[in-house]
Amino acid sequence: MNTLGTEIHLHARVFRAGCDWYADIDDHLDPQPDDPFWYGYYDTQRAAIDAACERIAAFNRARAERISQQLLSLASIG
């Protein structure tokens, strides 16, 4: 983990579930499918992959914003 405590390793799984495509995102510390960060069902494999990629990008944008806020806070203290 980095000094700001913001490092996270995510992975996506996409697979066929009956007539739908299932996608979920989890981290390496708890990779079990019982409690993912996010999941969804889609009509096509491409839609499931696109949704998972967009969700990971959203996690990364939120993480970058948190890091930015933490750095601004640290800079104002020091």
Side-chain angles (χ1 to χ4, degrees):
M1 179 152 315
N2 62 22
T3 59
L4 294 176
T6 56
E7 186 173 301
I8 188 167
H9 299 276
L10 299 175
H11 69 268
R13 296 182 316 144
V14 174
F15 59 89
R16 189 83 182 206
C19 296
D20 296 321
W21 285 91
Y22 173 82
D24 75 8
I25 295 174
D26 224 331
D27 71 344
H28 72 290
L29 298 175
D30 184 21
Q32 301 302 313
D34 61 341
D35 188 24
F37 282 121
W38 168 88
Y39 70 93
Y41 290 92
Y42 299 89
D43 292 331
T44 66
Q45 182 183 34
R46 172 60 20 202
I49 292 169
D50 288 346
C53 290
E54 176 52 40
R55 188 55 58 144
I56 288 173
F59 280 130
N60 283 330
R61 287 189 298 270
R63 182 183 61 110
E65 180 63 29
R66 282 192 307 275
I67 290 170
S68 178
Q69 292 300 321
Q70 287 177 331
L71 291 174
L72 287 173
S73 178
L74 290 172
S76 69
I77 293 171

